[in-house]
Amino acid sequence: MPLNKLKRYPELLELNHLEEKDRKKSLRGIFDRDIADNDLFAYNGCRIYPIKSDGVLDMNREFAHLTTEEVEESDANGNITHHRIYDPHRSARLHWIKTHVDKLVDDSDIAVFSVKERKKRSDIVRTYIYNKTRKYVIVLEPQCRNGKAYYLLTAYYLNKDYGEKQMKKKLKARLPEVL
């Protein structure tokens, strides 16, 4: 487990051989070091905060978004439920977030852009840090109240067939400036 704290981009964390408890402990150590306990966690001089739950910053929810993916299941009655399961691709790249946010990636084609998206009947702006070479995406939400902060929504590896196609579509719809 301590070996993972020594991993640097573009290496992947070694998690598959660990039991669930040890895997979570290792990932939480990386998360706490790079995000939760990092007072300098910022992008372009703007502080990055975790997602809020009920108006409160929620590190556990943030940790879940960065290490699990949402899946949809239907029961015998056809009712659809959503829940989160461990995502080895997101988890193995957890330490990549800080490297990208700190702009320390020099081996990849990186696109940074903002795009207006329709969510729950309103328009919101999201800023993407998209590593085209390594197929990795970090999603931030600019905070317009003061313009000096972001929420970290999620980060993921584009391992689904539709992932790169969606990113290309977002790139075409990007705003003229990064927010």
Side-chain angles (χ1 to χ4, degrees), residues 5 13 24-38 41 49-51 58-67 94-95 97-98 152:
K5 282 196 170 184
L13 300 178
K24 281 185 179 179
K25 184 177 178 182
S26 181
L27 287 168
R28 192 61 194 225
I30 302 291
F31 175 79
D32 288 345
R33 179 196 69 197
D34 291 352
I35 299 168
D37 298 337
N38 182 358
F41 191 51
Y49 296 97
I51 307 166
D58 189 346
M59 288 297 178
N60 291 327
R61 182 175 179 206
E62 188 73 38
F63 179 72
H65 272 269
L66 299 174
T67 59
L94 181 62
H95 63 301
I97 296 170
K98 185 173 182 320
L152 173 60

Side-chain angles (χ1 to χ4, degrees), residues 3-177:
L3 176 65
N4 280 331
K5 282 196 170 184
L6 301 174
K7 296 282 185 178
R8 298 289 174 242
Y9 171 88
E11 297 174 299
L12 299 177
L13 300 178
E14 295 178 25
L15 302 165
N16 293 336
H17 68 285
L18 299 175
E19 292 182 26
E20 183 180 0
K21 182 183 89 172
D22 293 331
R23 183 178 66 228
K24 281 185 179 179
K25 184 177 178 182
S26 181
L27 287 168
R28 192 61 194 225
I30 302 291
F31 175 79
D32 288 345
R33 179 196 69 197
D34 291 352
I35 299 168
D37 298 337
N38 182 358
D39 292 334
L40 302 175
F41 191 51
Y43 185 71
N44 282 344
C46 298
R47 180 82 164 95
I48 300 175
Y49 296 97
I51 307 166
K52 285 187 175 182
S53 286
D54 300 322
V56 177
L57 297 178
D58 189 346
M59 288 297 178
N60 291 327
R61 182 175 179 206
E62 188 73 38
F63 179 72
H65 272 269
L66 299 174
T67 59
T68 64
E69 70 175 319
E70 187 173 295
V71 293
E72 191 177 279
E73 289 184 351
S74 58
D75 62 17
N77 298 326
N79 298 322
I80 296 175
T81 59
H82 297 268
H83 65 278
R84 299 193 75 83
I85 61 169
Y86 168 69
D87 184 342
H89 301 290
R90 288 182 190 215
S91 296
R93 292 162 177 81
L94 181 62
H95 63 301
W96 286 18
I97 296 170
K98 185 173 182 320
T99 306
H100 283 80
V101 164
D102 291 346
K103 299 180 181 180
L104 298 175
V105 176
D106 60 3
D107 71 339
S108 299
D109 182 12
I110 307 287
V112 179
F113 62 95
S114 296
V115 65
K116 191 178 287 189
E117 299 177 349
R118 189 88 175 150
K119 299 287 179 185
K120 296 182 182 177
R121 295 181 295 216
S122 65
D123 290 334
I124 58 168
V125 174
R126 297 220 165 127
T127 297
Y128 289 83
I129 302 171
Y130 173 31
N131 184 327
K132 295 178 183 180
T133 308
R134 304 240 181 229
K135 300 180 184 180
Y136 188 68
V137 178
I138 299 168
V139 185
L140 304 171
E141 185 175 311
Q143 295 308 294
C144 298
R145 289 186 313 262
N146 61 14
K148 301 271 189 231
Y150 290 105
Y151 283 135
L152 173 60
L153 299 181
T154 194
Y156 52 91
Y157 177 62
L158 295 172
N159 60 326
K160 307 283 192 232
D161 293 337
Y162 54 83
E164 286 187 271
K165 184 178 178 181
Q166 282 182 341
M167 290 307 299
K168 287 177 183 175
K169 187 176 177 181
K170 289 178 190 299
L171 270 167
K172 284 183 181 178
R174 70 181 173 244
L175 298 173
E177 64 180 329

